[in-house]
Amino acid sequence: MSNIACWMSEKKIQKINWVEFEKTCKKHGFGLFKLDLNKSLESQGTFCVFLHKLTDIIASADQGDPKCAKLIERVEEYIRGHPTLVVLDPIPHVRQLLNRYISYRKINSTNLHKYGIFIPNFCELNSTNLQEQLTNAGVSYPFICKPSLGHGSKEAHEMSLIFNERGLADCRTPCVAQSFINHNAVLYKIFIVGERHHFVERPSLKNFHACDEDTIYFDSSDVSKAGSRSSLTLLEPHEIFDKVEPNPEVLKRIAVTLRGEFGMDLLGVDVVIEKDTGKYAIIDINSYPGYDGFPDFYDALVDCIGKRVKCKTDKFGDDFIN
């Protein structure tokens, strides 16, 4: 039986049904075990697949944490020494998503704009001449101020809504500023697993406009979690109307394009529909999301893994490691 070695943080492990995941792997002909990064990877037996959520460790390593750097170096050395190993997802590809500015630029370089899909104007703010940087990038008020680092700590989700030039003093640079798009407090999360995708509806920030209000601080993971009843997500009575259902074909176009652009199988994309134009706006992207609400997720994941294994088997033949 081929083995899948899995590494995730204890927090993420607790959120999954390990018994069900293990059972699904077995049904597809795979063994499953938890990899210990603090031990020699060679000593933990042979495995043909490495499934991981290393984003926080990679981010910390890139920020200069010596312990995390050593762990990632050990993993990358093992991967280099085992070219037949299937890695979901390749570490260099995951690194593309660690910095929001870099990932937004990559999204902006795709052809999605041809289909009326866009990413709201954004720029990376440094410590001086903030208004000039915003003006040059076409970022308007109000805008969302996001940490440049999209992973690595709880702070990655701590954001602020800046309404005016006075609020620029509240920006914690370096950060990414992105024009806020009114979208009637509805967010769509696209979950991508290889060739499959599924979207769910989540609460989001209500409509806001440039004004003299003070900066609003919020945690994006709290505001947009299922069942959230934050005051920031409740529309005014005059704004409540019949909701426009999203076009599945547009969301599919986004899923297929971004999976190809980033070269990854496990992605989450946050999409909103602009209130006045009906256009689709991509406001964030992340690696290996929570997949809460994805039907038969473990079957989809193991099916994706199986296809990746088959590709490697076809390429390496008898040299493939089982």
Side-chain angles (χ1 to χ4, degrees):
M1 180 181 286
S2 302
N3 285 324
I4 299 170
C6 177
W7 189 91
M8 300 175 192
S9 68
E10 280 304 313
K11 183 179 178 181
K12 191 164 181 75
I13 286 285
Q14 288 169 10
K15 289 183 178 179
I16 70 175
N17 186 331
W18 188 265
V19 173
E20 183 184 345
F21 186 25
E22 199 171 32
K23 189 185 299 181
T24 304
C25 288
K26 188 175 182 181
K27 182 176 71 177
H28 288 262
F30 292 102
L32 176 69
F33 72 93
K34 297 175 186 176
L35 198 65
D36 187 343
L37 297 185
N38 293 305
K39 296 179 181 177
S40 161
L41 304 190
E42 293 282 1
S43 69
Q44 297 177 61
T46 58
F47 49 96
C48 66
V49 178
F50 178 41
L51 174 67
H52 70 88
K53 179 67 186 276
L54 285 167
T55 43
D56 289 356
I57 294 181
I58 298 169
S60 296
D62 290 353
Q63 292 295 300
D65 184 309
K67 182 180 178 182
C68 291
K70 188 174 181 181
L71 290 176
I72 293 300
E73 184 181 338
R74 183 182 299 162
V75 171
E76 291 184 309
E77 183 180 349
Y78 183 88
I79 293 171
R80 283 194 298 270
H82 297 78
T84 61
L85 183 67
V86 172
V87 183
L88 264 71
D89 276 310
I91 290 175
H93 296 200
V94 172
R95 277 199 169 96
Q96 302 171 101
L97 298 177
L98 298 184
N99 183 288
R100 283 192 168 97
Y101 180 65
I102 292 172
S103 63
Y104 290 0
R105 286 185 64 183
K106 200 165 179 64
I107 294 170
N108 222 17
S109 71
T110 68
N111 68 349
L112 287 173
H113 59 91
K114 293 181 179 179
Y115 305 94
I117 302 161
F118 70 105
I119 184 162
N121 289 347
F122 63 94
C123 67
E124 189 168 45
L125 293 180
N126 297 307
S127 56
T128 57
N129 302 320
L130 300 190
Q131 184 57 58
E132 182 180 342
Q133 294 171 57
L134 293 169
T135 302
N136 289 342
V139 177
S140 55
Y141 295 105
F143 67 83
I144 302 285
C145 184
K146 308 179 181 184
S148 294
L149 196 62
H151 297 83
S153 67
K154 187 180 185 301
E155 287 73 28
H157 299 288
E158 293 180 355
M159 302 183 183
S160 53
L161 184 62
I162 310 290
F163 291 96
N164 46 61
E165 193 165 349
R166 175 169 54 85
L168 291 180
D170 301 321
C171 292
R172 301 174 194 167
T173 57
C175 61
V176 173
Q178 184 177 53
S179 293
F180 178 74
I181 299 295
N182 281 325
H183 52 279
N184 295 321
V186 177
L187 170 76
Y188 297 99
K189 285 190 172 287
I190 307 175
F191 297 132
I192 300 167
V193 185
E195 296 172 356
R196 300 189 200 182
H197 72 278
H198 180 76
F199 67 89
V200 298
E201 181 183 317
R202 293 283 170 80
S204 187
L205 293 177
K206 62 184 180 181
N207 299 329
F208 289 102
H209 302 276
C211 61
D212 197 39
E213 293 292 323
D214 291 336
T215 297
I216 292 175
Y217 299 91
F218 64 96
D219 185 311
S220 62
S221 59
D222 288 340
V223 166
S224 293
K225 68 183 178 183
S228 172
R229 297 292 292 171
S230 167
S231 60
L232 296 177
T233 69
L234 300 178
L235 291 172
E236 302 299 325
H238 69 275
E239 293 179 313
I240 298 174
F241 61 100
D242 291 336
K243 188 178 62 182
V244 177
E245 293 298 322
N247 184 338
E249 288 303 312
V250 176
L251 299 184
K252 179 181 179 181
R253 171 72 62 180
I254 293 170
V256 171
T257 299
L258 295 187
R259 180 192 173 217
E261 183 67 24
F262 285 90
M264 296 172 64
D265 284 316
L266 305 177
L267 285 170
V269 186
D270 291 349
V271 177
V272 299
I273 301 177
E274 190 172 23
K275 174 178 178 287
D276 295 328
T277 67
K279 290 184 176 181
Y280 290 68
I282 299 167
I283 59 171
D284 224 339
I285 184 168
N286 51 81
S287 170
Y288 205 148
Y291 290 104
D292 183 23
F294 193 110
D296 302 317
F297 168 63
Y298 297 124
D299 278 302
L301 176 57
V302 181
D303 180 61
C304 171
I305 289 171
K307 288 177 179 176
R308 286 295 183 202
V309 168
K310 185 179 184 305
C311 285
K312 284 278 180 150
T313 306
D314 291 345
K315 181 177 180 180
F316 288 95
D318 294 338
D319 293 332
F320 187 75
I321 300 175
N322 288 299

